[in-house]
Amino acid sequence: VQLGKTLDDLAGLLPSTRRNHFAVVDEQGRFEGMLDLSSLRSVIFDPLLRQMTPVDTAMNSHVPRIREDDSLLHAMEVFEEVGAWVLPVVDADEVFLGTLSKSTLFDNYRRELIVQTAGRAE
């Protein structure tokens, strides 16, 4: 979602996605903050409030970021430190690249452990 948009613009995206976390970016694609639907429920269902609320007033701009060259171990440490379930991934210029989900990270880690453990058992 771009800066300058409203929560009404965000609501227009909801029917086509299952996501609960949305990045807010500037015109150059630089990360500015995150919107979490769970914290917006009281506003998102009120059409008038949605239209009047800019995304930059509803976003959390203090979200820790994962750099594209950070290790997955570092990402795991950040998840544990801040208690987040989703973190933005940015490049060196703060351009938003996507999100990293704690559950996806740990699912992949668990699968890799199973593969490595099975390989040692043979």
Side-chain angles (χ1 to χ4, degrees), residues 1-7 9 24-27 53-56:
V1 181
Q2 276 201 324
L3 283 178
K5 300 288 185 178
T6 66
L7 292 181
D9 297 309
V24 178
V25 297
D26 68 10
E27 299 80 28
T53 307
V55 293
D56 56 307

Side-chain angles (χ1 to χ4, degrees), residues 47-60:
L48 184 58
L49 279 176
R50 274 197 327 247
Q51 292 171 1
M52 295 176 22
T53 307
V55 293
D56 56 307
T57 63
M59 71 182 183
N60 179 358

Side-chain angles (χ1 to χ4, degrees), residues 59-104:
M59 71 182 183
N60 179 358
S61 59
H62 301 292
V63 176
R65 297 146 174 87
I66 302 296
R67 303 268 180 216
E68 65 181 327
D69 56 352
D70 283 343
S71 70
L72 291 180
L73 177 59
H74 174 73
M76 289 170 52
E77 291 168 349
V78 174
F79 275 119
E80 291 305 309
E81 180 182 318
V82 301
W85 284 96
V86 174
L87 291 172
V89 179
V90 297
D91 69 10
D93 296 321
E94 291 290 311
V95 172
F96 176 71
L97 302 174
T99 57
L100 180 61
S101 159
K102 182 178 183 179
S103 60
T104 300

Side-chain angles (χ1 to χ4, degrees), residues 8-9 11 17 35 46 60 66 77 79 84 109 112 118 121:
D8 201 41
D9 297 309
T17 184
L35 294 164
D46 183 320
N60 179 358
I66 302 296
E77 291 168 349
F79 275 119
Y109 178 73
E112 185 62 28

